[in-house]
Amino acid sequence: MVLRDKMFSVECEEGSKTKIRLHPDYLIYQAHFPGNPITPGVCIVQIIGELAESRVGRQLSLHKVVNLKFLAPLSPVETPFADVIFTAIEEEDDTVRTKGMIMAGDRTMTKFTIIYCNK
């Protein structure tokens, strides 16, 4: 399922940082959780993957989550804008290793190291 332009949109890209806007009216937020929406972890992984695809210019498939830390809830109401920062994108053969964090202002929301392979 593609979440770009449905659950989130890209506001701008500058270097290793992509500013995204979360859409609080997206269907998933009505169930997770009504009155206090937060972005599900699986959706955060999907958002990271879609942004990684955009950066490397090809479709990717999740291969392995090496490290994933949710440090604070990512709410489309309380934190409608967030920065996805890739501190490393390493391409080797048919894999792409990403490392980075999601920030809202000066607060770290998520840290990740995820490996993808070509689709």
Side-chain angles (χ1 to χ4, degrees):
M1 172 193 299
V2 175
L3 298 178
R4 188 174 184 155
D5 298 326
K6 296 174 188 169
M7 181 179 221
F8 78 99
S9 55
V10 172
E11 294 291 304
C12 66
E13 289 183 320
E14 296 175 7
S16 63
K17 179 170 58 172
T18 302
K19 179 175 281 305
I20 63 169
R21 177 189 199 109
L22 299 172
H23 299 230
D25 56 340
Y26 188 61
L27 180 65
I28 288 174
Y29 290 126
Q30 295 172 19
H32 200 265
F33 296 96
N36 187 26
I38 62 170
T39 308
V42 68
C43 294
I44 292 172
V45 170
Q46 179 67 23
I47 290 168
I48 294 166
E50 290 181 27
L51 296 177
E53 285 180 337
S54 177
R55 290 190 174 263
V56 299
R58 64 181 181 278
Q59 290 187 324
L60 300 172
S61 182
L62 179 63
H63 177 67
K64 182 178 182 181
V65 176
V66 176
N67 187 25
L68 185 61
K69 294 182 182 178
F70 300 112
L71 304 171
L74 193 56
S75 166
V77 175
E78 293 177 19
T79 51
F81 294 96
D83 295 320
V84 180
I85 303 165
F86 289 98
T87 57
I89 297 180
E90 301 165 354
E91 299 181 61
E92 185 176 315
D93 299 324
D94 64 345
T95 63
V96 176
R97 180 184 181 94
T98 63
K99 186 174 184 176
M101 64 196 79
I102 299 176
M103 306 278 300
D106 60 354
R107 188 172 183 195
T108 303
M109 311 303 275
T110 304
K111 291 184 177 182
F112 61 88
T113 303
I114 303 174
I115 300 172
Y116 299 92
C117 58
N118 293 334
K119 267 192 181 173

